[in-house]
Amino acid sequence: MAATAKLARQIGALATKSGGGWYGPHMAAASRAIAERLPLVDLVLEIRDARIPLSSEYEQLRNYPSSSRRIIVMNKMDLANRSQIKLLNFLLARVRELKRTNYFNYTAVIMLIGIPNVGKSALANSLHQIGRISAAEKGKLKHAIVSPNPGETKDISSFKIGSHPNVYVLDTPGVLPPKILNTEVYSKLALTGSIRDCLVGERGIAQYLLALLNSSDEYKKWAKLSMNVNDRTFLDLEAEGLSSCELDKKQKRQYPTDHTQDFIVHDVRRTLFETISFFDGNVQVGEDLSRLIETQFTSLREAFQVPVELGEEAQNKVAAKLLNLFRTGRLGHYTLDSLPWHT
Ligand SMILES: Nc1nc2c(ncn2[C@@H]2O[C@H](COP(=O)(O)OP(=O)(O)OP(=O)(O)O)[C@@H](O)[C@H]2O)c(=O)[nH]1
Ligand SMILES: [Mg+2]
C-alpha cells in the first residue's frame, strides 16, 4: 500500500498546489448559513460516505458540543428501503424523546449536513417520501435534485418527514474546509466524487484508482471471467464454428456502445484481472506500479471500445469511464480509510 499512498499524496499535492478550487463563494455562504442554523435545530445528522468514514468527516462539526444531538450516518452502503424506514423510525423516536424534555417547541427540525456528494439530498428525498407516504400531502411531494456531480445543492431547503410532532429535515449544500492539508485525504475525496474531477484531472484520479485496485484482492474475484473466455474459445465456439473474435464482434454489435453495458463491465473486470495477475513486477515498488498502470490504460481502451484515433483524448475517456464504474459500485466495494480494527 506504500506505493499507492505515495501516488495518492503526489496527485493530491499537485491538485492542492493549484489552490482551493473546490471552495468558492457558494460554499463559504453555505458554511455560514449552516453554522447560523446549527444552534437552532433539534438534531444534526452528519452524513458520511461509507467508503471513507474518516476522510468524509464534516470538519466544522469536530468540536460540536452536544453529542446527544449529533448522529452520524454512513451513507452509500446501498441502503435498502427497509433500512431507511428503520432510520426514519429511529429519528422520529429520537425527536419524541427530545420533545419530552423540551416540549414547548412543537416543530422539530433535523439538519442533514456533510461534505459534497455523500447523498444528503437522496436521503432527504427518501425520508420525505417514506414519511409522507400515508399523508394527505402525498400528491404534493417535493423533490431535491440528486446528481453525481458535487455541489448540486445550492440552498438549504426543508422536507416534512413526520407529523405529531411535525418533523422536518433540512437538506443543505455540501461543504468542505477551505484548506485540505492532508493530500492523501484530498485524493480520496476526489476519487469518491466530493471534489470536482476537473480540479484534479480524471486521469490522475483514475491512476490512483488503478493503484488501489492493483494492491487490493478484489480483482481475484474476477478470475472466472478469464476462465470463461478460455472455455468458450475451446468448446462452444468450435461447436458454433465461430472464432472468439467473430463471437465477440457478433455480441457487441447487438448493443449500443455504452460503457455500463454488462459485457463491457465484464471485459473491464477481465482486463483488470489479467493485467494484474500476469504482471511480472512488484506493485509495492513505485516504478513497477506506474508501468502496470500505463499497460492497463492501453488494455482498458480496448475493453471500453474507445477508438485509438482519439490519441491523448482516448486516455481521458478511459479514465472517465473507469471512474464511473467505480463510483457506481461496478468494480467492487472498497473502504479507502484505514480504520482501527475495533471500529
Ligand atoms: N450507490 C449509492 N449511491 C448513492 C447513495 N446515496 C446517494 N447516491 C448517489 O450519490 C450521488 C450524490 O447524491 P446527492 O444526494 O446529490 O448528494 P449530496 O450530498 O446532496 O450532494 P451535494 O448537494 O453536492 O452536496 C448521486 O449520484 C446519488 O444517486 C447510496 O446510498 N448508494
Ligand atoms: Mg444535495
Side-chain angles (χ1 to χ4, degrees):
M1 283 304 267
T4 309
K6 191 170 163 205
L7 184 68
R9 285 195 295 274
Q10 279 167 358
I11 293 167
L14 274 181
T16 43
K17 245 186 227 160
S18 63
W22 64 91
Y23 195 85
H26 251 113
M27 211 179 263
S31 179
R32 279 195 302 275
I34 291 169
E36 277 166 20
R37 295 220 188 182
L38 212 50
L40 308 174
V41 299
D42 298 271
L43 276 180
V44 177
L45 221 59
E46 183 188 346
I47 317 298
R48 294 199 194 178
D49 187 324
R51 293 165 300 176
I52 47 170
L54 303 179
S55 302
S56 59
E57 179 184 16
Y58 190 91
E59 210 183 89
Q60 291 91 324
L61 266 191
R62 196 168 287 166
N63 301 318
Y64 189 64
S66 170
S67 59
S68 66
R69 293 197 301 131
R70 175 187 180 192
I71 298 165
I72 298 178
V73 174
M74 291 297 163
N75 200 33
K76 303 217 175 182
M77 286 169 65
D78 289 299
L79 300 173
N81 237 359
R82 215 178 137 81
S83 42
Q84 278 168 352
I85 291 172
K86 272 193 202 158
L87 176 62
L88 178 74
N89 288 339
F90 168 76
L91 291 175
L92 298 182
R94 194 79 193 81
V95 164
R96 279 188 208 107
E97 232 172 74
L98 285 171
K99 292 289 141 193
R100 264 204 289 277
T101 51
N102 189 18
Y103 48 81
F104 52 85
N105 185 1
Y106 188 67
T107 297
V109 181
I110 302 171
M111 185 152 69
L112 303 184
I113 62 174
I115 63 167
N117 216 23
V118 286
K120 298 177 291 302
S121 302
L123 190 58
N125 282 335
S126 301
L127 293 174
H128 178 54
Q129 271 160 21
I130 299 167
R132 307 310 295 150
I133 210 111
S134 56
E137 300 93 21
K138 196 178 166 191
K140 302 183 213 151
L141 287 182
K142 285 169 57 176
H143 194 82
I145 298 175
V146 169
S147 139
N149 303 318
E152 186 60 46
T153 305
K154 302 280 190 286
D155 300 301
I156 299 179
S157 36
S158 76
F159 297 82
K160 191 169 183 179
I161 64 164
S163 312
H164 317 294
N166 288 329
V167 185
Y168 291 85
V169 289
L170 296 182
D171 181 25
T172 65
V175 171
L176 278 169
K179 282 201 170 72
I180 300 169
L181 297 174
N182 185 330
T183 49
E184 203 177 333
V185 166
Y186 188 93
S187 290
K188 288 178 194 174
L189 294 173
L191 178 55
T192 50
S194 287
I195 290 177
R196 274 176 294 140
D197 287 343
C198 59
L199 293 175
V200 186
E202 279 157 341
R203 211 158 143 188
I205 313 174
Q207 282 171 347
Y208 172 44
L209 167 59
L210 285 170
L212 282 167
L213 288 169
N214 293 338
S215 41
S216 93
D217 282 340
E218 193 72 21
Y219 77 93
K220 291 180 185 160
K221 291 187 189 156
W222 304 325
K224 59 180 181 300
L225 302 179
S226 189
M227 304 228 309
N228 282 350
V229 168
N230 292 338
D231 289 345
R232 208 173 59 193
T233 308
F234 295 120
L235 306 171
D236 307 343
L237 302 187
E238 204 178 42
E240 289 170 37
L242 289 169
S243 72
S244 84
C245 229
E246 280 169 330
L247 187 94
D248 264 10
K249 272 190 199 147
K250 197 175 161 206
Q251 277 191 334
K252 285 168 189 173
R253 262 200 309 270
Q254 293 169 5
Y255 304 98
T257 49
D258 171 356
H259 72 274
T260 63
Q261 289 286 349
D262 279 355
F263 74 83
I264 293 202
V265 176
H266 175 293
D267 277 2
V268 168
R269 290 178 178 173
R270 180 173 50 77
T271 302
L272 289 169
F273 172 79
E274 288 174 356
T275 49
I276 303 171
S277 44
F278 300 148
F279 184 58
D280 57 3
N282 178 357
V283 291
Q284 300 307 329
V285 176
E287 276 171 24
D288 285 6
L289 181 64
S290 303
R291 184 160 56 88
L292 173 57
I293 292 173
E294 224 24 65
T295 317
Q296 285 173 320
F297 261 96
T298 311
S299 310
L300 287 170
R301 189 191 53 67
E302 279 177 35
F304 280 122
Q305 303 183 13
V306 173
V308 70
E309 299 79 49
L310 290 179
E312 267 302 286
E313 187 47 29
Q315 302 264 6
N316 297 335
K317 279 208 180 316
V318 169
K321 286 168 189 276
L322 191 67
L323 288 176
N324 180 283
L325 290 193
F326 170 76
R327 289 173 182 161
T328 49
R330 274 171 280 197
L331 295 181
H333 301 99
Y334 301 85
T335 304
L336 311 180
D337 283 337
S338 13
L339 302 173
W341 69 270
H342 59 274
T343 60

